[in-house]
Amino acid sequence: MATNTPLTPCMLINGELVEASDKKTFTVYNPATRELSASVPEASADDTNAAIAAAKAAFPAWSAADPTKRAACLKKLATLMRENNDELARLEAISMGLPVSHFYYGRNAASFFDHFAEAWPYIQGQSSVNTPGHVTMTLRQPYGVVALIIPWNAPVHFLGSKAGPALITGNTVVLKSSEKAPLAVARIAELVVEAGFPPGVFNIISGHGIPSGQILSRHIDVRALSFTGSSRTGKLIQEEAARTNLKKVILELGGKSPAIVFDDANLAKAVEQTQASIQANSGQVCMANSRVYVQKGIAPQFIEAFTKRFAAVRAGDPLLKETNHGPQADEVQYKNVLSYVEEGKSTGSLAIGGKGKLESTNGFFVEPTVFLETPESARIMKEEVFGPVVNINTFETEEEAIAKANDTEFGLYASVYTRSINRALRVAKALESGYVAVNCTSPLTGRDLPFGGYKGSGQGREGLLYSMGNFLETKSVIIQIDEE
Ligand code: NAD
């Protein structure tokens, strides 16, 4: 599992690839081996302010430019990301442990840039003559400097899904990567230079929540902020925004997603898909179905088949193509997951797993873990574990299943398996969730659907048809027509 010489990536501020102005760095270790992967610049307050100032200076020309010029930069970046997909996969593997076999994010993010490059003609207001003696119209205009703060579990995806719409609409951007997974994003910073973005338009900084994330949240010149990460950090960002300039805040937060399996479901499909959902990225996925509710009559068969599949994962070096189960992202995540697992043993019945594998592997691997019949009130049923850990509970009636599924402060994604169309639609309507999947589950999403959370899972929606609106102000203009 040896990695190469530790990397020394840069930040991108005002078109220059730079280290931190005070030379401060933080370290990133390969979570599969605990070898040093990189020393990464820690953006200081000065660096963060400089990136915001550069974005502010670049805004007038970028927003006034012919949108096809903006589109050309996005297109070029998309091409470069596609060409560098394998390199991005390697960098993600050695920073947060995602198996390269599961990395499709370079191409995925490229498709966002391509889509938004073509989408500029939809930056449109409305007009009417409904006010007698007047013509009225709305103008859709960029905010100015936009901050994008992204998590570590799919950084390249979020870079594409947020920066694409923010940039094509004429905003300038300061993106902060996560301290746990800054390497692929830092490589993209180099590609941004190659793609020919004018200096200051697309700045990329690395560092922890404090100072750089907090400064972005409270800075008066940042007019909109799109965040994906934990609900805890989302609240802090919202507080900072409220205390300062009430910047527009879009929040994509955590989840505790339920999957409900009725006794008339296609059992094999439900087992296969719910198991894949909680296994993907070692359970470090916001919409992973971490709670599975199975109707009593089929519970024994479901549990037997589920545990058999889940126990058979191929854990190992994320750089090897055959690996489908990587480590947790770092020691903090590893310890956090294991603390939930330990507590889970006292609240539920452990069916498989329940151990960390640090001693035998030297990496932060956690065994696929299944708990049965855990009380709904237990902490492991309420909080996001973010690991390969699932609670399988049973139910008897539809009402009971819905009540249990909704008994959470999260509401990001839910799924229901049944062959009854009426029941599927009744349940879909009743679930308090921004997304409902019928006879399928996460991470599946429809590309043109909005994505976002009910309740504590967020505010706002993102998606191909929705994200540009997040980065556009609406101005109403009323024009009186003089009578001759
Ligand atoms: P996190 O909240 O710890 O960190 C996310 C980002 O916020 C990082 O870049 C971090 O440096 C920054 N940050 C930390 N403190 C900050 C502060 N005080 N001010 C500003 N920024 C700060 O989340 P994470 O651990 O990186 O990501 C995992 C979380 O993200 C999970 O809760 C997961 O469910 C959620 N997530 C949600 C979605 C979604 O679409 N809803 C998608 C992926 C992940």
Side-chain angles (χ1 to χ4, degrees):
M1 290 197 198
T3 51
N4 299 327
T5 317
L7 303 167
T8 52
C10 289
M11 302 190 288
L12 176 59
I13 300 178
N14 203 19
E16 302 286 330
L17 291 166
V18 294
E19 53 186 0
S21 53
D22 59 7
K23 314 264 186 264
K24 201 169 159 191
T25 58
F26 62 95
T27 43
V28 172
Y29 293 88
N30 181 336
T33 61
R34 292 193 289 162
E35 287 168 354
L36 182 64
S37 289
S39 290
V40 183
E42 171 79 54
S44 64
D46 284 350
D47 298 327
T48 312
N49 288 331
I52 296 168
K56 190 177 179 185
F59 175 69
W62 181 249
S63 56
D66 185 320
T68 58
K69 294 217 165 96
R70 300 199 290 266
C73 295
L74 268 66
K75 284 255 172 199
K76 178 76 179 147
L77 181 58
T79 302
L80 292 168
M81 286 178 73
R82 249 184 233 106
E83 287 169 7
N84 286 275
N85 186 72
D86 291 353
E87 169 69 351
L88 296 174
R90 194 182 75 79
L91 292 169
E92 216 74 297
I94 64 166
S95 55
M96 49 71 78
L98 177 73
V100 291
S101 61
H102 285 199
F103 185 91
Y104 51 87
Y105 298 112
R107 294 190 187 95
N108 194 32
S111 77
F112 282 119
F113 283 112
D114 272 341
H115 167 83
F116 288 110
E118 304 273 344
W120 62 262
Y122 297 97
I123 306 172
Q124 293 267 350
Q126 297 171 322
S127 63
S128 93
V129 288
N130 293 329
T131 307
H134 299 76
V135 172
T136 66
M137 65 177 82
T138 59
L139 306 180
R140 304 301 310 276
Q141 293 175 294
Y143 279 84
V145 180
V146 161
L148 309 176
I149 302 182
I150 60 173
W152 50 265
N153 66 337
V156 176
H157 169 90
F158 294 113
L159 181 147
S161 67
K162 291 181 191 293
L167 288 164
I168 195 65
T169 43
N171 299 278
T172 51
V173 162
V174 181
L175 179 141
K176 189 192 93 59
S177 59
S178 162
E179 63 277 14
K180 291 189 202 299
L183 302 187
V185 175
R187 174 72 185 120
I188 294 170
E190 297 170 2
L191 303 181
V192 168
V193 175
E194 221 178 299
F197 282 88
V201 165
F202 192 176
N203 304 276
I204 295 181
I205 61 175
S206 44
H208 289 74
I210 294 174
S212 52
Q214 190 182 55
I215 290 171
L216 291 172
S217 313
R218 61 167 63 150
H219 202 291
I220 208 91
D221 287 335
V222 174
R223 295 293 168 189
L225 188 156
S226 178
F227 171 74
T228 295
S230 65
S231 298
R232 188 191 66 80
T233 307
K235 287 179 190 169
L236 293 174
I237 288 173
Q238 187 72 298
E239 274 175 37
E240 293 291 349
R243 254 199 288 274
T244 53
N245 63 350
L246 276 176
K247 59 177 60 66
K248 169 156 180 188
V249 176
I250 299 124
L251 299 173
E252 295 287 349
L253 307 176
K256 192 73 190 170
S257 298
I260 302 174
V261 186
F262 285 96
D263 58 10
D264 65 344
N266 177 331
L267 191 71
K269 185 165 91 165
V271 166
E272 185 186 327
Q273 295 182 348
T274 54
Q275 183 272 321
S277 171
I278 191 63
Q279 188 200 332
N281 207 0
S282 299
Q284 303 168 127
V285 177
C286 56
M287 53 181 155
N289 51 218
S290 50
R291 295 182 294 146
V292 179
Y293 295 101
V294 188
Q295 203 157 19
K296 273 222 162 88
I298 54 159
Q301 301 104 287
F302 182 94
I303 291 162
E304 190 190 343
F306 188 103
T307 48
K308 196 168 159 208
R309 276 187 75 91
F310 203 18
V313 298
R314 293 185 305 278
D317 183 350
L319 291 170
L320 299 177
K321 286 214 159 48
E322 59 268 26
T323 299
N324 69 6
H325 188 79
Q328 305 314 118
D330 68 0
E331 188 170 9
V332 175
Q333 290 303 124
Y334 177 76
K335 286 187 169 158
N336 200 30
V337 171
L338 288 183
S339 79
Y340 278 108
V341 168
E342 275 318 302
E343 196 178 317
K345 289 176 186 168
S346 64
T347 50
S349 143
L350 181 68
I352 56 161
K355 288 203 210 81
K357 307 277 281 176
L358 185 58
E359 277 169 20
S360 54
T361 64
N362 208 32
F364 299 119
F365 292 88
V366 174
E367 288 179 344
T369 298
V370 177
F371 289 109
L372 305 176
E373 293 305 348
T374 305
E376 292 299 315
S377 56
R379 196 167 73 100
I380 199 169
M381 295 297 288
K382 295 282 173 247
E383 297 177 11
E384 212 177 13
V385 175
F386 233 51
V389 180
V390 64
N391 288 82
I392 304 180
N393 279 355
T394 57
F395 67 92
E396 286 181 1
T397 66
E398 186 178 314
E399 294 69 32
E400 184 190 350
I402 292 166
K404 285 180 169 174
N406 284 342
D407 188 11
T408 170
E409 276 310 302
F410 292 110
L412 192 61
Y413 195 109
S415 39
V416 51
Y417 287 85
T418 175
R419 284 192 170 94
S420 158
I421 183 72
N422 289 316
R423 177 151 62 192
L425 291 177
R426 276 197 307 273
V427 174
K429 210 172 134 203
L431 287 169
E432 297 163 359
S433 174
Y435 224 101
V436 176
V438 175
N439 293 327
C440 50
T441 188
S442 62
L444 184 78
T445 55
R447 289 177 59 82
D448 57 350
L449 282 175
F451 189 88
Y454 270 36
K455 303 197 277 190
S457 287
Q459 281 177 19
R461 294 291 181 272
E462 294 185 326
L464 295 181
L465 298 178
Y466 302 86
S467 293
M468 289 203 312
N470 288 336
F471 299 109
L472 289 166
E473 278 281 24
T474 302
K475 182 184 286 170
S476 293
V477 179
I478 184 163
I479 308 158
Q480 198 160 77
I481 307 166
D482 276 350
E483 300 300 334
E484 286 299 330

